[in-house]
Amino acid sequence: MKITIINGSPDSRYDAFSKALHGLNRSLAGEHDIKVFDIKDMDIHYCIGCFGCWLKTPGLCVFKDDMEKVIRSQIASDMVLYATPITAGTMTSLTKKVLDRSIPQVLPHIRPYQGECHHLIRYYSLPDIGVLLFDDGNIDTESQEILYQMMDRLSKNFRSSKSYKLTAKADQIAEVIQNEISAH
């Protein structure tokens, strides 16, 4: 399975989680192709809502930055996980930045889908997506549930067959992901 992980940890407080994410290729040896993007170390602009990715340069953002590598990996993956701590009751701004910049993967056109209005997808298929919340011992269950619901909505808009909703301590990340993959 090809997996793209968007690491939205903002600083060194989450180094144990970042190390665990980068250790996944070793711990899940040979079974999966895993690419981890550390957003804090990348040149990625915030979306400015110009709709250029839909109108001027369809499928491509008008910003020429590192997000192009992230999107190429997302499109080629079977699973995309947005790995993030909960800060101020939600995902980090780094994680949200990548989510917002992923919009070129769908078309601007809206059509009914499962009784709701959703974007048409640009590509024949898109990966299953989900969130991996870092459990640092201070998880607010209400915030966790809101983020899980948000990921369900996003998964539906991207036509994912599955929405991954994971929470793990740093030393449990490999086991939690492997269990979820096995159950899929």
Side-chain angles (χ1 to χ4, degrees):
M1 176 178 276
K2 186 166 181 180
I3 304 168
T4 294
I5 298 177
I6 310 302
N7 181 7
S9 62
D11 54 48
S12 62
R13 289 177 294 164
Y14 304 99
D15 280 352
F17 291 98
S18 294
K19 287 177 185 171
L21 292 173
H22 284 281
L24 286 171
N25 277 319
R26 288 186 305 280
S27 58
L28 302 177
E31 297 178 53
H32 309 287
D33 177 15
I34 301 169
K35 177 71 175 161
V36 178
F37 291 96
D38 294 311
I39 303 307
K40 71 178 180 178
D41 299 328
M42 299 178 75
D43 175 31
I44 298 178
H45 294 86
Y46 285 92
C47 179
I48 59 171
C50 70
F51 299 118
C53 61
W54 283 340
L55 305 173
K56 291 180 184 176
T57 55
L60 298 171
C61 182
V62 297
F63 290 125
K64 301 301 173 211
D65 58 14
D66 291 336
M67 190 60 195
E68 189 173 323
K69 292 185 277 191
V70 175
I71 285 191
R72 288 185 188 280
S73 184
Q74 288 175 323
I75 293 168
S77 291
D78 302 303
M79 172 196 286
V80 174
L81 286 177
Y82 293 90
T84 182
I86 295 177
T87 58
T90 191
M91 65 183 61
T92 65
S93 62
L94 295 173
T95 309
K96 181 71 165 82
K97 173 171 52 173
V98 173
L99 270 175
D100 291 347
R101 289 284 304 281
S102 297
I103 198 71
Q105 296 178 54
V106 295
L107 295 168
H109 313 291
I110 306 280
R111 297 287 185 273
Y113 176 72
Q114 296 182 353
E116 300 174 351
C117 292
H118 287 275
H119 290 279
L120 297 176
I121 57 173
R122 181 175 299 281
Y123 304 104
Y124 178 71
S125 67
L126 290 172
D128 292 334
I129 60 176
V131 65
L132 169 61
L133 300 177
F134 298 161
D135 182 358
D136 59 358
N138 296 311
I139 291 272
D140 167 16
T141 55
E142 182 179 10
S143 297
Q144 178 183 13
E145 188 55 36
I146 290 169
L147 283 169
Y148 283 176
Q149 289 174 12
M150 187 177 116
M151 198 51 60
D152 281 341
R153 304 300 307 152
L154 189 66
S155 293
K156 189 171 187 178
N157 199 44
F158 277 62
R159 307 298 195 279
S160 297
S161 61
K162 180 164 179 54
S163 174
Y164 295 95
K165 296 172 283 196
L166 311 173
T167 301
K169 296 185 181 306
D171 62 349
Q172 300 170 327
I173 287 177
E175 179 184 353
V176 166
I177 291 174
Q178 183 58 51
N179 288 343
E180 192 65 30
I181 291 169
S182 298
H184 185 48

